[in-house]
Amino acid sequence: MKLILLGIILLSNILYCYSQQEKDTIYSKTNPIVYSELFMGFAGGNGIGVVIGGELNYQIKKDLFTVKYGYQSLAELTGTAVGFIGFPAFEKTIDNHEISLLYGQRYIKDGHSFSFSGGISTNYADVKQPNNTMTTEESIQYFGFPFEANIKWFKKKKRRFRAYYGLIPIGKPSSFGRSFGFKLVGNIGKFTYVGMGINYGFGWHKKYQQ
């Protein structure tokens, strides 16, 4: 599963490098809508914790197709005592790896978009179950039903791509660019969770006129 996330990161870098060579000489009137993104945030369900991941997206008309890898690290709120005083503590209970295929709808207006998707996933969870004497660990594989909703912002029209945190313009005006937004993400299954976070992407986020 980590290899899939590394593959998504690698593709983002490939898209970034390709953008510096892009001359917008695509034979069709407009560019395709293809973009990758990385996301991170907080999640709750069978415990509370963090969710991170990456995904590839391809859009035809308003139809959005997504391949996603997600990782959730969840912990339960427990307690510990020092003398007669109790203190809250978190005990890590679930490490979950999720590979998902999603389909949804995406609506674009000027320099922002809204999308919602659902699909199916295969999940691999390492679960720690403490008892009175020891903690046991179990690996569980299960299917789930992932869902997500996104709102993101990107450039309204072609501009020169800016490298090094947007400081240095490169090449001619290009349809390739960055995006930033917010994501609601979750999965319904044996270990259901819902999370909220931010996403950051590279790619072609809308069709730009030549």
Side-chain angles (χ1 to χ4, degrees), residues 135-155:
T135 298
T136 61
E137 186 168 338
E138 181 181 9
S139 295
I140 300 174
Q141 181 178 359
Y142 65 96
F143 291 100
F145 299 95
F147 60 89
E148 65 175 59
N150 296 273
I151 182 170
K152 63 178 71 220
W153 290 267
F154 41 84
K155 60 187 179 184

Side-chain angles (χ1 to χ4, degrees), residues 24 31 110-112 154-161 173-177 206-209:
D24 284 334
N31 57 275
D110 297 328
H112 67 276
F154 41 84
K155 60 187 179 184
K156 295 182 180 181
K157 59 183 181 180
K158 288 184 180 180
R159 291 199 302 265
R160 297 171 69 187
F161 187 85
S174 170
S175 55
F176 184 95
K206 62 177 285 187
K207 289 186 178 292
Y208 295 88
Q209 296 298 321

